[in-house]
Amino acid sequence: MLYLNTHIWEASSGQVQAALEALPEWRRMLAMGFRHESGRRENALAFIELMRGLRAEYGMTDIPRFEYNQHGKPSLTGCPHIHFSISHCRVAAGCLISDVPCGFDVERIRKVSANMIAHSMNLKEQEMIGSSPWPELAFVRLWTRKEALYKLWGTGIDDGLREVLCSPMAKGVALRTTENVADGYVMTEAFLIP
């Protein structure tokens, strides 16, 4: 189930501060690592969406304990049947919760440099972006698919970024991409097919 907040700028500074104070220490430290208040806001509100989802789906009202894999992907201690993935950008913050391994990424539609495209996309993807009537949207669509896949596996982005969508990592994975042009974002949900 996806829990998404697309009204993150409606939260007051006081509400964001209260959200930051309610975060567990590890998440608060992560949020405070952002240089600008916007990053702290997005990070805190994404965690709030995780807690909203855990309350709705599993009746959890207390902040659970977390454990982490070697790449830093969090999971719930003692709850191997609950999988989640958190993401945020300047226009949306959310969390995907599932009973199978999952990954989630949301990104704002924005301009991207030619260097970033060359670094992150294979030749076929570069051609797709270059021939698109809206290259920024084409890039973000592909980027969210790649990042959701990495988040599903919990490996972090590695040197295989350009080819990840056609790699063994993509086998047995369902990707669902949603474009919300009106609100300026694209998101992808990735699920391991049981």
Side-chain angles (χ1 to χ4, degrees):
M1 184 65 70
L2 179 64
Y3 292 86
L4 188 67
N5 179 344
T6 59
H7 303 282
I8 61 177
W9 291 104
E10 293 176 11
S12 70
S13 292
Q15 290 170 317
V16 171
Q17 187 60 38
L20 285 167
E21 291 170 7
L23 298 178
E25 183 64 23
W26 71 271
R27 189 70 188 190
R28 185 173 30 261
M29 295 302 289
L30 184 64
M32 296 311 290
F34 285 89
R35 211 170 113 195
H36 300 288
E37 189 215 343
S38 61
R40 293 189 291 273
R41 170 187 298 269
E42 296 158 22
N43 190 288
L45 294 176
F47 189 82
I48 297 303
E49 291 305 306
L50 168 64
M51 293 309 302
R52 185 168 70 101
L54 292 175
R55 186 174 44 256
E57 301 297 319
Y58 300 99
M60 293 183 181
T61 55
D62 295 330
I63 294 177
R65 292 188 43 212
F66 295 87
E67 51 194 42
Y68 312 90
N69 75 8
Q70 70 266 24
H71 300 286
K73 179 179 179 171
S75 59
L76 300 177
T77 302
C79 299
H81 62 289
I82 301 174
H83 303 272
F84 68 92
S85 183
I86 296 173
S87 186
H88 55 83
C89 65
R90 289 188 179 189
V91 295
C95 180
L96 179 64
I97 299 175
S98 177
D99 58 354
V100 298
C102 62
F104 171 63
D105 190 47
V106 60
E107 298 288 339
R108 180 174 57 96
I109 301 168
R110 65 193 182 286
K111 290 191 183 263
V112 64
S113 71
N115 285 342
M116 181 62 170
I117 293 170
H119 172 75
S120 61
M121 302 293 161
N122 64 37
L123 292 177
K124 182 179 176 184
E125 292 165 343
Q126 289 177 43
E127 289 172 13
M128 189 183 320
I129 292 166
S131 65
S132 171
W134 194 352
E136 297 83 3
L137 178 61
F139 173 83
V140 174
R141 183 184 310 117
L142 288 165
W143 179 266
T144 62
R145 294 173 72 81
K146 292 178 182 218
E147 187 142 351
L149 191 58
Y150 278 117
K151 287 181 172 186
L152 179 149
W153 292 113
T155 60
I157 294 175
D158 64 20
D159 292 337
L161 178 61
R162 294 179 81 207
E163 303 297 333
V164 70
L165 292 178
C166 53
S167 76
M169 282 181 74
K171 302 290 187 239
V173 174
L175 296 169
R176 180 173 53 216
T177 301
T178 304
E179 300 167 6
N180 188 323
V181 175
D183 288 334
Y185 68 87
V186 174
M187 63 183 182
T188 295
E189 302 165 68
F191 298 94
L192 190 60
I193 300 170

